């Protein structure tokens, strides 16, 4: 469900206004095609940005091999009877 205008992040209304002002300056004949293409391009750029940020987070994480669960020292001592 979409958020209402009152709970939209800061700057959202500026982006919406700029989008529609630019869309209004396009000819009526191709306006719907331009709108669809612009929205698709925006989605692609947002997805690419999200994927890039995800890759950056993955690079920052220290990579450790998963060997198995290690027991804490107290439990290791109890097992050695």
């Amino acid at each position: 469900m979409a958020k209402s205008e009152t709970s939209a992040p800061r700057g959202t209304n500026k982006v919406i206004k700029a989008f529609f002002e630019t869309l209004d300056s396009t000819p009526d004949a191709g306006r719907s095609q331009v709108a669809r293409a612009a929205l698709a391009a925006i989605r692609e750029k947002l997805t690419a940005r999200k994927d890039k940020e995800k890759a950056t987070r993955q690079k920052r994480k220290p990579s450790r091999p998963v060997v198995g669960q290690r027991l804490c020292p107290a439990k290791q001592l109890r097992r050695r009877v």
Side-chain angles (χ1 to χ4, degrees):
M1 197 172 229
K3 292 184 175 182
S4 66
E5 287 185 40
T6 57
S7 64
R10 180 182 247 170
T12 303
N13 288 331
K14 289 180 182 179
V15 174
I16 293 169
K17 184 178 177 182
F19 178 80
F20 282 110
E21 284 176 359
T22 306
L23 193 61
D24 287 340
S25 68
T26 58
D28 288 337
R31 188 174 291 170
S32 63
Q33 292 174 346
V34 170
R36 275 191 238 120
L39 290 174
I42 290 169
R43 279 191 212 103
E44 289 174 9
K45 287 198 179 233
L46 289 174
T47 303
R49 184 182 290 179
K50 186 172 71 171
D51 292 343
K52 185 177 179 183
E53 289 173 357
K54 185 177 179 181
T56 303
R57 281 193 305 266
Q58 292 294 329
K59 286 181 183 178
R60 278 194 242 143
K61 278 187 180 179
S63 60
R64 332 182 269 216
V66 178
V67 179
Q69 290 183 341
R70 294 184 181 182
L71 297 173
C72 67
K75 287 184 179 179
Q76 286 178 348
L77 291 175
R78 284 189 225 148
R79 283 192 167 184
R80 294 180 192 167
V81 178

